[in-house]
Amino acid sequence: MTITFSRRRFLASSAGALGTMAMPYLSRAADRPAVTHGVQAGDITVDGGVVWARADRPSQMLVEVATSESFRDARPLPPIAALPESDFTAKMLVENLPAGHDIFYRVRFRDLSHSAIEGGAVTGRFRTAPADRRDVSFVWGGDVAGQGWGINPDDGGMVTFSTMRRHRPDFFLHSGDTIYADGPIQPEVKLADGKIWKNLTIPEKAKVAETLDEYRAAYKYNLTDDNLRAFNAEVPVFVQWDDHEVTNNWSLSKDLPAAYKVRDIALLAARAGRAFHEMYPMRESITEPGRVYRQISYGPHLDVFVLDERSYRGPNGANLETAYGPASYFLGPEQIAWLKRGLLNSRATWKVIASDMPIGLVVSDTPKGGSEAVAQGDGPVRGRELEIADILRFIKMAPISNTVWLTADVHYAAAHYYDPNKAQFQEFEPFWEFVSGPLHAGTFGPNALDNTFGPEVRFVKAPGKDSQNLPPSAGMQFFGHVKIDGASGRMTVTLRDRADVALWSTTLDPKLA
């Protein structure tokens, strides 16, 4: 909402004293710029991070940071504009913070046209990465508001975010499908037992997202959930995207369903990418604006390599190429070179590779009859597997120790151990891949395994082929929890459900480089 004042009215009402805020109509909260969807922080490192908020009108975002909850030592930062061009979102890189410290921040907006008019503050907190070897913990998962399962107050809303928040993690690794731009939210869904699931709805979610405002609205819909907003205020996010931020199984060869009036997938992806970057507290790339892949260092024990397996892929074809080329791109040559450099230069104990799709599970692009992920079925290295084989070979030859792959996408929980002795391709060291999710979406699986890289299922919890697309109320919503012991460097990975039941856990000892 934008409030317009004439100069005469403004001066008369204030009696020339702007600082006293004497105007009676300006004492009402509705007359002041407001924070509309809570606050978020993200991409936290040893000395800073990004703070995000959204206003309800053209404003200046005012941020203060402090090392005490009372804000006794508050440091105000220069204002930045929140304009219609960014849907009134704004984000600020906050730097020069102490390492390993709880940081408190508060955000308010100031009317862009009348600098004496400020709205109320919303507070948040995060913990900077440690400079020493202290304990570190984080949670991860993906898949939010998918398959028509939206915010149902009768079921407690997005309960998994409340469960994760109780663990007080250092950060949340969001593994993609942060929204379902292609998934309308209907007011009611009939369940298998005859009961009715009731969604909160907004007009923009009655159809697939095509316009920039419709993509933005999908994020704002999720942010109406109390659990998610409370989580965001306390737990910073390291976010990546997958397909549903644009449309299901998208690549540049995507044949759009009839529901889309906009038939240009590249245009849809561009709009979706802009909304994604506007709505999350991500550090932005100067060399490639809009880039998603990045390295986030969280102290001596942990580097996180956030991948983008969507923007540079080739078409979702048969995925059977034996020679590497554009048709078999998954990460693409530039991103692979970046990943190799980062892994080689990393001095962290653990190198977490955040992959928005699993390596050894077959994920089909059914309408096209092709592959959506890396695997396409048992056999030698082919298609997109050529890139994964190249990365695994590089890790072995460098050598690089203590890599762990974390992923989501398939809507169930699993732990996979990759053993070269049981693989078709054997030029790699054994490693783990852990799968979690959905956080708040339909539950599916399990998917078929591809033996190219020799995955063994050490744990799986999925509904089975006769019980697909279970609603969140069925309880099969999953997240992963990682703890790294500061003294020993040992990593414990636990897979949990939304009731916080520990389903399976393992502890990994770090190898000396």
Side-chain angles (χ1 to χ4, degrees):
M1 177 176 62
T2 302
I3 299 176
T4 303
F5 301 96
S6 70
R7 183 174 184 273
R8 178 177 295 175
R9 178 186 176 200
F10 183 82
L11 292 176
S13 300
S14 64
L18 298 181
T20 63
M21 301 298 288
M23 301 82 81
Y25 52 85
L26 286 180
S27 64
R28 300 194 301 269
D31 295 320
R32 301 172 182 272
V35 175
T36 61
H37 292 84
V39 294
Q40 300 181 74
D43 286 11
I44 306 300
T45 59
V46 71
D47 66 348
V50 179
V51 170
W52 175 98
R54 181 183 180 275
D56 63 348
R57 68 193 74 180
S59 310
Q60 288 182 317
M61 184 170 78
L62 307 176
V63 178
E64 295 175 279
V65 293
T67 57
S68 63
E69 195 167 7
S70 67
F71 285 88
R72 288 189 305 271
D73 59 344
R75 171 165 60 99
L77 301 173
I80 59 173
L83 300 174
E85 289 79 3
S86 64
D87 195 34
F88 308 123
T89 63
K91 51 186 176 181
M92 175 181 290
L93 178 61
V94 181
E95 298 179 294
N96 301 315
L97 300 175
H101 208 293
D102 285 338
I103 301 298
F104 302 87
Y105 64 94
R106 57 188 174 196
V107 178
R108 61 170 56 86
F109 286 98
R110 180 166 66 196
D111 193 283
L112 199 60
S113 300
H114 306 95
S115 60
I117 305 174
E118 295 181 1
V122 176
T123 60
R125 64 187 297 169
F126 59 85
R127 187 178 302 119
T128 51
D132 58 359
R133 295 179 179 272
R134 73 156 167 82
D135 296 352
V136 170
S137 79
F138 65 94
V139 292
W140 94 91
D143 317 307
V144 180
Q147 291 73 52
W149 307 113
I151 300 167
N152 180 357
D154 295 338
D155 189 51
M158 296 183 180
V159 175
T160 309
F161 286 98
S162 178
T163 305
M164 293 191 297
R165 181 167 65 95
R166 291 197 295 269
H167 285 275
R168 298 289 304 275
D170 289 300
F171 62 87
F172 166 49
L173 174 59
H174 202 319
S175 302
D177 291 341
T178 59
I179 60 167
Y180 278 71
D182 58 320
I185 299 291
Q186 303 300 329
E188 294 185 352
V189 181
K190 188 175 182 179
L191 303 179
D193 61 4
K195 295 180 180 178
I196 301 297
W197 172 282
K198 295 183 178 181
N199 287 314
L200 297 179
T201 61
I202 60 172
E204 296 91 340
K205 285 294 293 179
K207 63 180 290 292
V208 297
E210 298 175 89
T211 69
L212 177 57
D213 283 340
E214 287 169 347
Y215 280 109
R216 289 164 168 164
Y219 293 96
K220 289 185 281 189
Y221 174 79
N222 289 358
L223 289 170
T224 62
D225 180 71
D226 294 337
N227 301 304
L228 178 54
R229 288 197 315 278
F231 180 83
N232 287 344
E234 295 184 16
V235 184
V237 62
F238 299 178
V239 67
Q240 63 192 142
W241 74 343
D242 191 28
D243 58 330
H244 290 285
E245 286 83 358
V246 180
T247 189
N248 184 48
N249 293 357
W250 76 273
S251 69
L252 290 181
S253 65
K254 176 74 177 181
D255 290 334
L256 289 162
Y260 286 85
K261 295 179 181 178
V262 177
R263 308 303 299 174
D264 186 340
I265 185 63
L267 177 58
L268 292 174
R271 291 170 176 170
R274 175 166 175 174
F276 175 77
H277 281 269
E278 287 176 348
M279 298 302 294
Y280 276 110
M282 297 172 60
R283 294 176 185 252
E284 299 296 338
S285 169
I286 295 175
T287 57
E288 185 188 347
R291 195 172 88 178
V292 174
Y293 70 85
R294 62 206 187 278
Q295 177 181 347
I296 305 171
S297 296
Y298 201 84
H301 276 315
L302 180 62
D303 278 346
V304 181
F305 296 88
V306 180
L307 302 185
D308 178 357
E309 296 166 346
R310 189 58 57 176
S311 302
Y312 313 101
R313 66 166 57 198
N316 279 1
N319 197 21
L320 297 175
E321 298 82 15
T322 57
Y324 184 57
S328 54
Y329 286 0
F330 192 58
L331 301 172
E334 289 296 322
Q335 187 175 186
I336 291 174
W338 161 84
L339 177 60
K340 289 178 177 179
R341 289 193 303 270
L343 290 170
L344 192 61
N345 293 327
S346 174
R347 296 297 175 262
T349 306
W350 293 98
K351 296 86 175 171
V352 165
I353 301 175
S355 174
D356 47 285
M357 302 200 78
I359 295 171
L361 294 177
V362 177
V363 184
S364 299
D365 189 2
T366 306
K368 297 284 289 185
S371 268
E372 160 66 356
V374 175
Q376 77 289 317
D378 294 346
V381 172
R382 295 173 294 182
R384 293 168 178 166
E385 293 171 339
L386 293 164
E387 288 190 342
I388 301 302
D390 180 45
I391 292 167
L392 296 180
R393 183 189 296 112
F394 175 81
I395 290 171
K396 175 182 174 69
M397 300 302 294
I400 296 162
S401 301
N402 308 321
T403 60
V404 171
W405 294 66
L406 301 183
T407 188
D409 182 69
V410 289
H411 294 235
Y412 65 91
H416 301 146
Y417 184 72
Y418 287 79
D419 184 351
N421 295 316
K422 299 182 179 181
Q424 295 289 318
F425 174 83
Q426 297 184 323
E427 297 177 57
F428 66 94
E429 294 294 333
F431 67 95
W432 285 90
E433 174 188 66
F434 301 103
V435 186
S436 70
L439 296 171
H440 189 85
T443 313
F444 292 88
N447 289 43
L449 283 175
D450 180 324
N451 73 1
T452 303
F453 301 111
E456 302 174 40
V457 177
R458 297 292 181 89
F459 172 81
V460 62
K461 186 160 187 179
K465 64 180 180 179
D466 297 326
S467 301
Q468 298 292 283
N469 196 18
L470 295 183
S473 54
M476 294 186 72
Q477 305 289 287
F478 307 112
F479 69 97
H481 188 199
V482 176
K483 292 183 178 180
I484 302 174
D485 179 71
S488 67
R490 300 177 81 198
M491 174 185 282
T492 299
V493 181
T494 305
L495 299 175
R496 296 179 173 272
D497 64 17
R498 80 170 192 170
D500 210 21
V501 175
L503 305 172
W504 182 88
S505 186
T506 189
T507 297
L508 309 178
D509 290 313
K511 296 179 181 178
L512 298 177

